Amino acid sequence: MKTHRTCLALDLKDDAQVIEQYEHFHRPENIWPEIPQGIREGGIIDMQIYRIGTRLFMIVETEEGLSVEQAFEAISRKARQPEWAEFMGGFQQKLAEAKPHEHWAEMKPIFILNESSK
């Protein structure tokens, strides 16, 4: 199966308690069960979030032909997803580089090691 990878960035509010709470709610034992279920049902094959300081970096893989925007739109209609997005929004702040319609800003790929980079 061919997939498409999208990388996105966002900042957390610069507050140690906010960062700890954000990480707390993303641990497997604390995340609302509807959230990973809805992500999968929306067409996302894999999603990973990494943090350094206040910066979050998300890697999203969808089946080829399904954009991350389409997947996020489908997810937004799943159980508890809008509530989760609003809750998480209280911990986050958009990047200055984000386009008006973006919450998570899509990153531009500049190097990909694959067959074409031999």
Side-chain angles (χ1 to χ4, degrees):
M1 170 193 333
K2 287 193 168 198
T3 62
H4 177 74
R5 179 176 297 144
T6 304
C7 297
L8 305 137
L10 180 72
D11 279 344
L12 290 173
K13 294 179 179 173
D14 192 6
D15 179 303
Q17 281 188 309
V18 166
I19 292 168
E20 174 50 38
Q21 286 181 329
Y22 185 85
E23 289 188 1
H24 168 84
F25 284 108
H26 281 81
R27 292 185 190 114
E29 66 272 17
N30 299 325
I31 196 165
W32 305 346
E34 298 90 350
I35 302 311
Q37 178 183 345
I39 291 169
R40 288 184 189 100
E41 290 174 359
I44 292 181
I45 297 164
D46 188 29
M47 177 185 281
Q48 299 174 24
I49 300 175
Y50 296 83
R51 180 183 70 80
I52 186 165
T54 58
R55 179 70 35 99
L56 297 176
F57 172 62
M58 180 191 292
I59 303 167
V60 178
E61 285 196 30
T62 57
E63 287 186 27
E64 193 170 43
L66 178 68
S67 72
V68 72
E69 294 87 6
Q70 291 168 318
F72 284 172
E73 175 61 31
I75 291 165
S76 74
R77 296 188 299 271
K78 302 293 180 186
R80 298 198 75 192
Q81 299 296 331
E83 182 184 355
W84 176 262
E86 184 177 341
F87 181 47
M88 290 299 111
F91 299 96
Q92 303 166 335
Q93 51 190 24
K94 290 173 63 167
L95 300 181
E97 299 86 355
K99 295 175 184 161
H101 68 282
E102 292 179 321
H103 184 71
W104 284 83
E106 187 169 340
M107 300 173 72
K108 174 185 172 184
I110 58 168
F111 175 77
I112 299 171
L113 181 66
N114 61 26
E115 290 297 315
S116 65
S117 55
K118 284 185 176 178

